[in-house]
Amino acid sequence: MPEGDTVHLAGKRLHAALAGNRLVRGEVRHPRWAEHDLAGLVVTGVASVGKHLFTRFDDGRSLHSHFRMDGSWHLYRPGMRWRRPEHEARAVLATDERVAVGFALHDLELLPTAAEDRLVGHLGPDLLDPAWDDGKAAEALRRFVSRADHEVGLVLLEQRVMAGVGNLYKSEVCFLLGVSPWTPVRDLPDPMAAITLSRKLLLANADRPEQSTTGSLRAGEAHWVFERGGRECLRCRTRIRTADQGDGVYARPAYWCPRCQPGPAPVATHRPAHRRTGPGRY
């Protein structure tokens, strides 16, 4: 599942391309919404909330979409060839100058803009909310420490605590905190640091497709531990370890350096590092 900065960037680009313009084509290719023709509506804006996107129209409705694991929005000029097969398109929003195509989108829904909270009201504070303030930080901290007995890696992924962190930033925040992802939240010396670091990393990458947590964009140096299983730690040269964290379909690989991140950990497996092409990046 993409990180919050991926969704934020997609929303920013869609807003720049569509906002203030009237649709000449507006298709939602979903059985529940297929009869709704959006052509003729004006796009008033596109906004991200955590990992959710809302495209808003002047008739008081919004189109909600979620990338899940494989979804993305692409932008084209009229007449350009699409980079994914047409049968994967779930939404097509076109103006005279731009064509936005949503491929493999999940949870598509048309709803009143005033009712968007029905879909995102359960989320914790959005780490990329432009209105982020001390109050939202305090609320995120309250939700975070309320999971005192839970593993910090899993709590970082819990969108009901704070919205935006995915598996990349989970692994990187744990490394920068110097704790194993399996460390209970109650054992963190400074829980607020986890929230501050998460927001800092998301903000650093929010306006570009590349994601770096080290300050470098060079191949193999962009991340401290994420997807570097079996490689040497960039800080201490210890071999990075990998093991699944979470249960069943919710399990995700965790990456950590056993020297830089002391604490509880399962038996590790060594997965080969591989290049990541995150959904929604374009």
Side-chain angles (χ1 to χ4, degrees), residues 2-9 11-12 46-54 56 116-117 120-141 143 156 158-166 169 192 195-196 198-200 202-203 206:
E3 310 287 329
D5 56 355
T6 297
V7 182
H8 170 87
L9 181 62
K12 182 177 180 179
V46 182
S48 61
V49 181
K51 299 183 180 184
H52 300 255
L53 271 180
F54 292 98
R56 296 163 180 159
E116 289 177 358
D117 197 55
V120 294
H122 65 288
L123 299 177
D126 182 357
L127 290 165
L128 288 174
D129 186 343
W132 181 271
D133 57 16
D134 290 344
K136 290 182 171 60
E139 177 60 17
L141 179 62
R143 296 182 183 217
L156 285 168
E158 175 55 71
Q159 302 300 295
R160 292 174 182 266
V161 172
M162 54 185 180
V165 173
Y169 293 118
M192 190 64 206
I195 297 165
T196 301
S198 298
R199 177 166 159 77
K200 178 180 178 180
L202 283 162
L203 283 171

Side-chain angles (χ1 to χ4, degrees), residues 37-261:
D37 185 359
L38 305 179
L41 298 181
V42 174
V43 177
T44 59
V46 182
S48 61
V49 181
K51 299 183 180 184
H52 300 255
L53 271 180
F54 292 98
T55 303
R56 296 163 180 159
F57 307 105
D58 64 345
D59 69 345
R61 289 186 296 171
S62 297
L63 176 63
H64 167 258
S65 60
H66 198 294
F67 289 161
R68 297 295 178 187
M69 294 297 293
D70 55 351
S72 62
W73 279 96
H74 291 192
L75 284 170
Y76 303 96
R77 295 293 180 184
M80 287 180 63
R81 182 177 180 179
W82 296 355
R83 297 191 300 275
R84 292 181 66 167
E86 183 167 353
H87 71 265
E88 293 184 3
R90 297 292 177 267
V92 182
L93 306 176
T95 69
D96 287 331
E97 297 184 354
R98 302 305 299 270
V99 180
V101 186
F103 293 101
L105 296 175
H106 298 261
D107 305 328
L108 277 174
E109 183 171 348
L110 277 169
L111 75 164
T113 300
E116 289 177 358
D117 197 55
R118 174 170 60 83
L119 299 180
V120 294
H122 65 288
L123 299 177
D126 182 357
L127 290 165
L128 288 174
D129 186 343
W132 181 271
D133 57 16
D134 290 344
K136 290 182 171 60
E139 177 60 17
L141 179 62
R142 184 191 69 79
R143 296 182 183 217
F144 192 86
V145 299
S146 73
R147 271 72 166 178
D149 296 331
H150 297 196
E151 298 166 357
V152 62
L154 296 180
V155 177
L156 285 168
L157 290 176
E158 175 55 71
Q159 302 300 295
R160 292 174 182 266
V161 172
M162 54 185 180
V165 173
N167 208 43
L168 187 162
Y169 293 118
K170 175 201 82 171
S171 296
E172 298 296 284
V173 167
C174 287
F175 176 85
L176 291 168
L177 290 175
V179 299
S180 158
W182 290 269
T183 301
V185 167
R186 65 173 179 272
D187 291 341
L188 289 180
D190 182 7
M192 190 64 206
I195 297 165
T196 301
L197 268 173
S198 298
R199 177 166 159 77
K200 178 180 178 180
L201 294 178
L202 283 162
L203 283 171
N205 295 292
D207 294 321
R208 64 185 182 197
E210 302 84 7
Q211 293 164 303
S212 171
T213 57
T214 63
S216 172
L217 292 174
R218 294 178 60 185
E221 297 180 3
H223 308 134
W224 292 104
V225 292
F226 180 70
E227 292 192 342
R228 300 192 72 250
R231 294 183 180 178
E232 291 184 346
C233 174
L234 294 174
R235 181 177 289 168
C236 74
R237 302 306 175 188
T238 300
R239 192 173 297 275
I240 301 299
R241 295 183 182 178
T242 306
D244 285 340
Q245 184 176 25
D247 298 323
V249 296
Y250 298 103
R252 297 289 183 270
Y255 305 85
W256 81 104
C257 171
R259 183 174 179 181
C260 295
Q261 298 171 259

